[in-house]
Amino acid sequence: MIRLESISHAVPEPLRTAGSWLRHHLDPPELSYHGTTWLFLRALGAVYTVAFLGLALQLGPLLGENGLLPVSAFLERIGDGSETPWLRVPSLMWLNDSDGFMLSLAWLGVGLGTALLVGHASVIHMLALWVLYSSFVNVGQLFYGYGWEILLLEVGFLSVFLVPLWKGGWHGTGGPSSPRAVLWLLRWVLFRIMFGAGLIKLRGDACWWDLTCLLYHYETQPIPNPLSPYFHALPDLIHKAGVLFNHLVEVVVPFLLIGTPRLRWIAGGLMLLFQTMLILSGNLCWLNYLTVVLCLSCFDDRVWHGLLQHTQTLCRWWNRRSDRTATSPRRRVAVGALCALVAYLSIGPIGNLLSTRQAMNTSFDPLHLVNTYGAFGHIGKTRPEIILLGTLDPTPGPTSEWVEYEFKCKPGDVNRRPCVVSPYHLRLDWQIWFAAMADYRTQPWLVHFVYKLLHADPGALSLLALGPFDGQRPTAIRADLYQYHFAPRGAQAHWTRERQGAYLPMLRAADPQLQRVIEGFGWKLLAADDGDCACDDPNGRDVLAAADR
């Protein structure tokens, strides 16, 4: 049997010498990261908890049996004609795709995330979190196609190697060897996030070159917050300086991550400042919060000890936590295998970074272990908004009384103040922001949503802030397109808007053509409406042709 201790002797002497030099200059052996690991895991637990909570509260209306994009229908399509569909889409939902089972898994994730937040961690625990969330992301379709989903999976998988196998807490996280290697891998994730975002901007919109992107971004971002109008109103010179700072942090600063500890402190500090500005200026879900968690990997225990030096009780507790423990040979081999796996899987993301056709927020393996990231390569110069309107008029038409549906956070009522929702994720509000920049013919889920509103479906209504008809079925729904702008300072309203025209033609629940569209996508028909049917309405045929695409 080959002894584990003999493996190191097989490494050529020049490589061992170079490794020793790098270890002493980039990560001196006297440094410790117990405090960093402790903070990192608790912060990751907070992100996991928010992610699973949003999943549990929105699961049924979005992905349930009667949801907008049912998991059961998706798995049926994936499994059709395939002997091993679970290899293509790894998910626990192959075992059971019922609403009760999925909801149980979601709330289990909330519980495990909370346990991590308050101080319990083990390999089994962390693997369970990763498997659970991966199972939902892989079947979440359009509503789980965002970059922060695969980012959480990548970070969550690496974190498995920061904790003990069975014992709860962090008393047994291992010596400096294991956390150091994993922390370097976490810095590699942080590098790809920041540098990928920087490159996608330089290769994207010209406004990143002429420094004007921030003149538009705060107003046109997916979901502004109450501070967004104030950021938008800053002088042009400040906006241009902000773009320069963005380029500095995303293109230059990431290379400091491979420098000495103090250079990493500088990188971490600048990135934390940058992420704080993003959090203050908009609602970008937990993307920025998770990036903040990754920034913790830039700091060793000297930083935390310095921050706590005036608190004697915390210092004594910290010193007890910083006692070093031996790292088992098996643990070293496991972490070494992880490093080799990440190095191999990084080939695709590195090639993507170097490509002139750089893709953003893309996975190169079905488990989302090593991914590529990026954001806001193109900045919208205007803010189109879809406004859904319904009526109870038995004979709906242009002269009917149309009432607006109000979403939970996306702009609608011009008198409603922008909301604060991050790190929570309102998935419908986000997705309809994308839909406003596209033709409804490419958004069949939106037609399905309107169909459910026509039936006053409780699940669909739960995704909204206000159902205007107190549970009554509207006789018709249409969608108009508006251009929104922040209202001038001092105005009573928070927004101004101008109607651009119709986005979605008037729909009625009893239209057999609309019903055939719903059946064509494998979605369930709801109880038929008793209202008259506009079967010969050319708009109905337009919807059918659109959705069939």
Side-chain angles (χ1 to χ4, degrees), residues 22 26 184 187-188 191 253-260 263-264:
L22 289 173
L26 299 185
W184 277 107
R187 292 173 198 138
W188 171 228
F191 178 92
V253 170
F255 288 94
L256 299 182
L257 294 173
I258 57 176
T260 61
L263 288 178
R264 293 198 296 271

Side-chain angles (χ1 to χ4, degrees), residues 368-432:
H368 314 291
L369 298 182
V370 182
N371 314 298
T372 185
Y373 305 99
F376 294 110
H378 292 274
I379 296 293
K381 308 305 186 296
T382 59
R383 183 179 191 90
E385 285 289 350
I386 296 171
I387 302 299
L388 298 179
L389 305 102
T391 182
L392 297 176
D393 191 336
T395 56
T399 60
S400 301
E401 181 183 0
W402 293 90
V403 184
E404 295 184 14
Y405 286 86
E406 195 70 26
F407 286 72
K408 290 186 176 180
C409 203
K410 99 170 188 67
D413 181 358
V414 295
N415 294 309
R416 190 176 70 165
R417 186 178 185 179
C419 69
V420 176
V421 66
S422 65
Y424 191 78
H425 187 190
L426 292 172
R427 297 180 182 275
L428 184 71
D429 291 51
W430 264 79
Q431 203 56 48
I432 204 167

Side-chain angles (χ1 to χ4, degrees), residues 47 50 146-152 155 190 193-194 197 201 250 274-275 278-279 283-295 361 373-376 422-425 430:
V47 175
V50 172
Y146 304 104
W148 45 84
E149 316 290 0
I150 57 176
L151 175 60
L152 181 54
V155 174
L190 183 59
I193 293 172
M194 303 303 292
K201 292 179 175 65
E250 291 188 336
F274 182 60
Q275 296 302 319
L278 293 176
I279 290 171
N283 288 298
L284 297 177
C285 305
W286 65 78
L287 172 62
N288 306 120
Y289 293 87
L290 187 51
T291 308
V292 167
V293 175
L294 284 169
C295 288
N361 303 325
Y373 305 99
F376 294 110
S422 65
Y424 191 78
H425 187 190
W430 264 79

Side-chain angles (χ1 to χ4, degrees), residues 509-547:
D511 187 342
Q513 300 183 53
L514 174 58
Q515 292 175 0
R516 285 198 296 271
V517 169
I518 299 303
E519 289 184 303
F521 279 95
W523 299 326
K524 287 186 176 181
L525 285 177
L526 303 177
D529 196 340
D530 295 331
D532 294 332
C533 169
C535 299
D536 296 326
D537 185 353
N539 288 337
R541 291 193 294 273
D542 189 25
V543 171
L544 177 62

Side-chain angles (χ1 to χ4, degrees), residues 284-338:
L284 297 177
C285 305
W286 65 78
L287 172 62
N288 306 120
Y289 293 87
L290 187 51
T291 308
V292 167
V293 175
L294 284 169
C295 288
L296 297 176
S297 67
C298 298
F299 306 104
D300 56 72
D301 285 351
R302 292 177 297 177
V303 174
W304 317 122
H305 191 274
L307 294 174
L308 300 175
Q309 62 182 340
H310 300 297
T311 309
Q312 295 301 320
T313 302
L314 285 176
C315 279
R316 288 194 297 271
W317 174 86
W318 199 274
N319 289 334
R320 289 197 301 270
R321 291 276 175 162
S322 298
D323 292 339
R324 301 194 178 195
T325 58
T327 303
S328 69
R330 291 182 179 179
R331 187 177 180 85
R332 291 176 185 245
V333 169
V335 173
L338 172 68

